[in-house]
Amino acid sequence: MFALTPVLVAVVCIFIVWMYKNADRSVERRNGEPGARSKARPWVDEDLKDSTDLHDVEQDADEWQESEENVEHIPFSHSRYPEKEMVKRSQEFYELLNKRRSVRVISNEQVPKEVIDNVIKTAGTAPSGAHTEPWTFVVVQDPDMKHKIREIIEEEEEINYMKRMGQRWVTDLKKLRTSWIKEYLDTAPVLILIFKQVYGFAAKGQRKVHYYNEISVSIACGILLAALQNAGLVTVTTTPLNCGPRLRVLLSRPINEKLLMLLPVGYPGKEATVPDLKRKPLDQIMVTV
């Protein structure tokens, strides 16, 4: 009986291995089924994920933090307003931004370069994790380059609309009268492509951490939208799905940058229309505790 024990052990091991292999094949089959594919979420694909890898940059953390400890601190300069002035300023700023709309028909009329410089400087005032400022704003004005960008985006967007996005997403977009045809990429005098730097480089060339890089760059994009509205310009926020790597190569951006958002910028075209959408009232977006 005891002579059979090793044999029984071997049989049990073989059986366990067989069970694991069949379980793996079952998972693979489920992943390949139409139902599994329909649950995919292409709007969080690799182009849009925050891919900071702390393990890759951990070795540089001490050098980076040591340099930051030596930053001089200075008195804070602050403007405080009387209460009535505060209410007035906050109301006026709300009314200005409440007029902001996504505009897809943009005039080809040129925009002063100084205005573009100023709105991007304004976006650059955004807070960022450990003050790493992990953003790059690529301003495209060359007609040939704008058209190449349009070709890449429309090629991928047609696939998105026909296959990747799914019927529900496409249906939800119908009220906006949008499609994979992006004429504004040619007509807008300026395209601003916002890249997030998923990591940076220390003085000696090693990688260094860019903490919360996607959140930081997203905040900068929000400030940029407000600055554009304040300057009397229009845009539409776009996240060119599955276009990031090709656009990065086209624009000769380094491997540590990933496209987060693209903004066509200019004046509204004379024939521009927007859907009559309503924003949620305060009591639906704010909770007081």
Side-chain angles (χ1 to χ4, degrees):
M1 178 180 294
F2 291 103
L4 294 176
T5 300
V7 176
L8 290 174
V9 171
V11 170
V12 170
C13 291
I14 293 172
F15 180 72
I16 292 173
V17 171
W18 178 81
M19 288 180 62
Y20 272 107
K21 286 186 175 180
N22 276 275
D24 288 342
R25 282 196 290 268
S26 176
V27 170
E28 289 174 2
R29 282 196 298 271
R30 286 198 299 272
N31 288 341
E33 292 172 358
R37 286 196 300 270
S38 66
K39 294 180 181 179
R41 301 194 301 158
W43 54 92
V44 289
D45 72 343
E46 289 302 320
D47 290 357
L48 302 180
K49 288 180 182 176
D50 188 341
S51 56
T52 299
D53 190 337
L54 295 181
H55 296 293
D56 286 347
V57 295
E58 202 172 52
Q59 59 183 339
D60 306 318
D62 291 340
E63 177 184 350
W64 172 243
Q65 290 175 6
E66 181 180 356
S67 65
E68 285 296 286
E69 290 175 1
N70 297 325
V71 173
E72 180 185 2
H73 282 225
I74 60 176
F76 175 57
S77 177
H78 173 65
S79 298
R80 179 165 179 168
Y81 305 102
E83 186 173 319
K84 288 185 178 180
E85 179 68 10
M86 290 171 63
V87 172
K88 179 175 180 291
R89 291 171 66 92
S90 62
Q91 178 66 26
E92 289 176 348
F93 191 66
Y94 160 69
E95 291 174 356
L96 172 67
L97 291 191
N98 193 41
K99 296 176 182 177
R100 187 208 58 78
R101 300 299 302 272
S102 294
V103 177
R104 293 174 172 82
V105 179
I106 300 177
S107 167
N108 61 4
E109 183 181 352
Q110 293 301 304
V111 174
K113 182 182 182 301
E114 187 176 3
V115 173
I116 300 301
D117 292 347
N118 285 337
V119 296
I120 290 180
K121 284 193 296 184
T122 303
T125 67
S128 60
H131 193 60
T132 51
E133 301 177 289
W135 40 66
T136 302
F137 300 91
V138 179
V139 176
V140 179
Q141 296 175 293
D142 178 71
D144 291 337
M145 182 61 74
K146 287 193 298 178
H147 190 70
K148 289 177 182 178
I149 291 172
R150 179 182 178 180
E151 288 179 330
I152 290 174
I153 290 178
E154 288 187 343
E155 179 183 331
E156 291 292 342
E157 280 286 76
E158 183 174 7
I159 301 173
N160 292 335
Y161 272 77
M162 301 302 293
K163 297 181 180 180
R164 297 180 183 131
M165 291 163 56
Q167 189 58 44
R168 176 175 295 180
W169 190 354
V170 173
T171 300
D172 287 343
L173 288 174
K174 284 185 177 179
K175 62 178 177 288
L176 303 179
R177 299 181 187 175
T178 183
S179 71
W180 63 81
I181 305 300
K182 311 294 184 185
E183 186 178 352
Y184 52 72
L185 294 174
D186 270 327
T187 60
V190 176
L191 303 182
I192 303 177
L193 292 90
I194 302 99
F195 287 81
K196 62 178 184 180
Q197 301 168 6
V198 295
Y199 56 85
F201 295 97
K204 297 179 182 179
Q206 308 101 319
R207 292 185 182 186
K208 67 181 181 184
V209 182
H210 274 180
Y211 307 96
Y212 299 110
N213 57 77
E214 181 153 332
I215 295 175
S216 301
V217 180
S218 297
I219 294 172
C221 288
I223 294 176
L224 178 57
L225 291 174
L228 290 169
Q229 178 70 11
N230 181 62
L233 298 173
V234 299
T235 187
V236 54
T237 55
T238 68
T239 52
L241 194 61
N242 296 294
C243 301
R246 291 173 66 186
L247 293 177
R248 181 183 64 78
V249 172
L250 176 66
L251 296 169
S252 301
R253 300 312 308 157
I255 192 66
N256 66 315
E257 295 186 359
K258 286 194 174 185
L259 181 65
L260 183 70
M261 190 175 296
L262 184 156
L263 301 178
V265 173
Y267 302 102
K270 292 181 179 179
E271 66 277 20
T273 63
V274 293
D276 188 17
L277 303 177
K278 306 299 180 184
R279 292 189 168 95
K280 292 180 179 180
L282 183 63
D283 61 3
Q284 291 185 25
I285 65 172
M286 184 178 76
V287 176
T288 303
V289 179

